[in-house]
Amino acid sequence: MELDKLNLMQELLLRYCGQRGMTDVEITGRATATAITRSGKELHLTVNIYGDIMDDDTKKIIADGNVSHDIRRIYEFPTEWKDRKPSVVSALRKKDTAIKDVKTAKSERQKTKNPER
């Protein structure tokens, strides 16, 4: 998709992903994008009417835009975002680490059960 043909929501998604160092960002719809995090996880993003970044799968806000959330001021657009804690991205990292720990523990148990391997 050409940069001059992006709508405002797509531009906000690209700006957010760029600020977070996400790679391989692909615009997938009018207000949706898929990005790869630094840890290599795929993240589906969308934007609400205030410019907050949301997880498109769970519809939960993961980063708040730096503008008012007053419906009468809807045409203010964020330039920066503050990640909510815990953010979806950090939750993905924790989940990935936990899975690796479980797999490591499982392989260690298997080695002690079957020492000839």
Side-chain angles (χ1 to χ4, degrees), residues 32-49:
T32 58
T34 299
I36 305 299
T37 65
R38 290 181 186 177
S39 64
K41 294 292 181 183
E42 186 175 271
L43 191 59
H44 302 273
L45 303 171
T46 190
V47 180
N48 67 13
I49 63 171

Side-chain angles (χ1 to χ4, degrees), residues 44-58:
H44 302 273
L45 303 171
T46 190
V47 180
N48 67 13
I49 63 171
Y50 303 109
D52 298 327
I53 305 299
M54 300 172 61
D55 180 327
D56 195 32
D57 298 326
T58 64

Side-chain angles (χ1 to χ4, degrees), residues 3 6 8 12 17 21 31 38 46 49 60 68 72 74 83 88 92 95 98 110:
L3 290 179
L6 294 175
L8 177 65
L12 292 176
C17 291
R38 290 181 186 177
T46 190
I49 63 171
K60 292 187 179 186
S68 169
R72 294 168 292 192
I74 197 164
D83 290 328
V88 171
L92 283 173
K95 181 180 176 183
Q110 288 175 347

Side-chain angles (χ1 to χ4, degrees), residues 4-111:
D4 60 335
K5 293 186 180 183
L6 294 175
N7 67 36
L8 177 65
M9 298 305 174
Q10 293 167 336
E11 288 178 25
L12 292 176
L13 286 167
L14 287 176
R15 188 177 303 153
Y16 171 79
C17 291
Q19 289 177 0
R20 296 302 182 274
M22 294 181 187
T23 59
D24 298 326
V25 180
E26 179 184 352
I27 300 298
T28 56
R30 283 185 51 231
T32 58
T34 299
I36 305 299
T37 65
R38 290 181 186 177
S39 64
K41 294 292 181 183
E42 186 175 271
L43 191 59
H44 302 273
L45 303 171
T46 190
V47 180
N48 67 13
I49 63 171
Y50 303 109
D52 298 327
I53 305 299
M54 300 172 61
D55 180 327
D56 195 32
D57 298 326
T58 64
K59 304 299 185 212
K60 292 187 179 186
I61 296 174
I62 61 173
D64 296 299
N66 63 343
V67 295
S68 169
H69 281 64
D70 184 345
I71 193 72
R72 294 168 292 192
R73 295 176 159 183
I74 197 164
Y75 296 107
E76 294 177 358
F77 305 108
T79 55
E80 294 180 2
W81 292 266
K82 181 178 179 184
D83 290 328
R84 287 196 175 180
K85 299 295 179 197
S87 72
V88 171
V89 175
S90 65
L92 283 173
R93 288 184 186 135
K94 288 178 187 174
K95 181 180 176 183
D96 187 44
T97 304
I99 290 170
K100 286 179 184 175
D101 291 343
V102 168
K103 286 181 179 179
T104 302
K106 184 178 178 180
S107 68
E108 291 298 321
R109 282 193 309 270
Q110 288 175 347
K111 286 178 185 177

